[in-house]
Amino acid sequence: MLAGRRRFPHKPGMAANAPALPELIDDGRWLAHRYDETGDSIQFRFVPREAQRSMTFLTDHEIGDAPLAVHSRADCVAEAKRRQWPTPRLIFHSAYCCSTLLARAFDVPGVSFGLKEPQILNDVIGLQLRRVDPRQVAAAMDVALLLLARPLGPGEVNVVKPSNLINPLLPLFTAMRTDIRGLILHAPLETFLGSIARKDIEGRAWVRELMWKLIQLGQAERFGFTDEDLYRQTDLQVGAVGWLAQQAIFAQAAQNHSGFGTLDSETLMARPVECLAALGRLFDLKLDADRMKKVRLAVHLSQYDDETSELCHWHIPETHYLETWGDTRAYDGTVTIQQPLITPLYNGKSAHEFLAAFSDTPERSSYDILREYWARPDAGVAARQVLLKGAMTPIVRNELTL
């Protein structure tokens, strides 16, 4: 089948075949996804390594309806403390500093894996924002760190990159895990503000939200601004204050805890191999940083010109799914055809067209590619059916019965 957009292939609800808690705790594919303060319980979702690799962040939106298992926090803590996993390494960041790209670099089977903004840590900051009992915040943080330490593979160490909203809780991290090792990664002020400006209204809304949460957590008061002062500032002025508030948090953490190293994004981009080698030493991981030198050509197909694009030789603008023809298959095998609503606004290319560029007929459109594929003798009837009815009969897959 052609490369199309796919939902995470699992049905919703409590998984009928979810293992018992001891086996689940030992299986890192069961991600500790959410903390439910009402039931004082942990929601686990089954998210294998390959699925996590395809996700930008480990959020509800991207994980979707993956199989679910729920256990009480107390039972999870008791079971997890019977194991001896190393404390996860952490990447604290300012945002707009290539932190997601760096987290992906720690996907080294047998050595480490990078967890990108797990939702359970956002739940912890949510408790703090709602000013719940500090003991409950600490309990939620403790179970999150215990469960995020569970490796996906034998001998691996997890490297966790939380959302930057967690930064005000840095003192809690160090108080609860004295052996913590972490990187404090930030973008220089000009880079940070430039990234916000380039994202236009999305970036401006994001920085306003960041500032509001920093106000709620008492991080803006140290500069003498009132809420009204901040309200009257421009979006980029608010961004600068938000950047400064995070820098104050970072400086205090780096000064008070010897397990932290600091790095700016410009140095990371200019000297990636040396930076990865230094991070391997900081995190006590055996990383082969020299493998980055062996990449002769890197091409990034994406709707966003982001931090990954900056490390690649070419960035190819990708069409939105409403701009191109495509196909997709649901978990039960049902196939449907993706039909465009508009022509591409920015001369982008679909995944089909991008791959066709490396074939003998590189000039084909996504429509031509799709039509050619589904016009095969064994697919022609199904293709006509899907255009008329919106879906075609599920295709039998030869999966092994386990």
Side-chain angles (χ1 to χ4, degrees):
M1 176 171 166
L2 295 178
R5 294 176 180 269
R6 261 181 106 162
R7 290 280 297 170
F8 190 79
H10 289 294
K11 297 180 181 180
M14 193 75 173
N17 59 344
L21 182 59
E23 290 75 27
L24 183 146
I25 289 292
D26 285 330
D27 188 347
R29 295 175 299 175
W30 284 94
L31 174 72
H33 179 51
R34 300 299 302 263
Y35 170 69
D36 176 13
E37 61 180 297
T38 303
D40 194 24
S41 60
I42 305 298
Q43 297 178 6
F44 294 87
R45 292 283 187 175
F46 186 76
V47 193
R49 190 184 208 108
E50 294 74 17
Q52 291 198 36
R53 282 172 173 163
S54 69
M55 299 174 185
T56 304
F57 303 123
L58 300 176
T59 59
D60 286 335
H61 174 72
E62 299 211 39
I63 289 177
D65 52 11
L68 170 70
V70 180
H71 294 277
S72 75
R73 179 188 59 81
D75 288 346
C76 290
V77 170
E79 197 64 46
K81 285 188 173 179
R82 296 192 178 100
R83 280 70 168 173
Q84 297 294 324
W85 299 304
T87 299
R89 299 354 182 202
L90 288 140
I91 300 174
F92 298 100
H93 61 97
S94 65
Y96 299 114
C97 57
C98 305
S99 56
T100 302
L101 181 66
L102 181 59
R104 290 184 184 277
F106 286 100
D107 180 3
V108 185
V111 178
S112 60
F113 187 73
L115 300 174
K116 299 159 291 185
E117 303 201 7
Q119 188 85 41
I120 193 170
L121 289 176
N122 289 351
D123 292 335
V124 176
I125 197 66
L127 296 175
Q128 184 78 353
L129 285 167
R130 293 193 297 277
R131 294 181 171 85
V132 304
D133 189 329
R135 292 171 296 182
Q136 188 174 7
V137 178
M141 176 70 81
D142 180 54
V143 72
L145 291 175
L146 278 172
L147 297 177
L148 292 175
R150 297 154 54 239
L152 277 168
E156 293 184 0
V157 175
N158 284 341
V159 179
V160 179
K161 188 211 88 162
S163 161
N164 70 319
L165 294 176
I166 206 78
N167 292 337
L169 293 188
L170 259 165
L172 182 59
F173 277 92
T174 56
M176 301 192 71
R177 297 292 188 274
T178 57
D179 62 339
I180 195 171
R181 299 186 185 198
L183 173 68
I184 296 173
L185 177 65
H186 71 278
L189 178 59
E190 295 82 358
T191 302
F192 184 80
L193 296 180
S195 297
I196 292 170
R198 282 194 296 274
K199 286 188 175 292
D200 200 36
I201 190 63
E202 178 186 347
R204 295 169 186 272
W206 176 87
V207 81
R208 289 280 178 183
E209 181 71 14
L210 170 66
M211 177 51 62
W212 174 245
K213 290 178 178 176
L214 289 173
I215 290 172
Q216 296 294 99
L217 295 169
Q219 297 301 314
E221 298 174 355
R222 68 178 75 196
F223 305 114
F225 290 114
T226 65
D227 292 356
E228 182 179 354
D229 292 334
L230 292 170
Y231 174 78
R232 293 181 180 278
Q233 289 180 352
T234 67
D235 294 327
L236 292 184
Q237 286 175 320
V238 168
V241 175
W243 180 90
L244 190 60
Q246 294 188 101
Q247 290 298 310
I249 296 168
F250 293 158
Q252 184 177 10
Q255 182 178 0
N256 294 341
H257 198 282
S258 60
F260 286 132
T262 62
L263 180 66
D264 69 85
S265 58
E266 289 190 349
T267 301
L268 175 62
M269 291 295 97
R271 301 162 61 188
V273 174
E274 295 167 82
C275 288
L276 275 180
L279 282 170
R281 295 190 294 271
L282 175 66
F283 290 164
D284 192 23
L285 299 175
K286 297 179 180 179
L287 298 176
D288 181 14
D290 288 337
R291 64 182 181 160
M292 295 186 64
K293 296 179 180 178
K294 300 175 184 178
V295 178
R296 296 185 179 182
L297 176 65
V299 182
H300 188 215
L301 176 70
S302 173
Q303 295 176 15
Y304 304 99
D305 186 4
D306 55 19
E307 54 200 26
T308 303
S309 306
E310 294 179 13
L311 274 190
C312 295
H313 301 97
W314 289 91
H315 170 79
I316 308 297
E318 182 183 17
T319 51
H320 189 271
Y321 71 91
L322 296 178
E323 298 175 320
T324 187
W325 288 87
D327 56 1
T328 188
R329 179 183 295 165
Y331 180 64
D332 67 355
T334 302
V335 174
T336 188
I337 299 297
Q338 167 188 308
Q339 302 183 52
L341 293 181
I342 58 173
T343 56
L345 297 176
Y346 303 106
N347 197 29
K349 299 296 180 183
S350 69
H352 300 155
E353 292 168 319
F354 176 72
L355 293 175
F358 299 94
S359 71
D360 295 332
T361 52
E363 300 299 326
R364 290 177 296 166
S365 68
S366 59
Y367 175 79
D368 293 333
I369 297 168
L370 195 75
R371 185 182 180 89
E372 177 183 327
Y373 182 85
W374 289 109
R376 301 170 326 194
D378 60 336
V381 174
R384 288 192 293 271
Q385 173 190 342
V386 74
L387 290 175
L388 291 172
K389 298 183 179 180
M392 62 180 71
T393 305
I395 295 173
V396 176
R397 294 172 299 169
N398 296 322
E399 292 184 334
L400 295 176
T401 302
L402 303 180

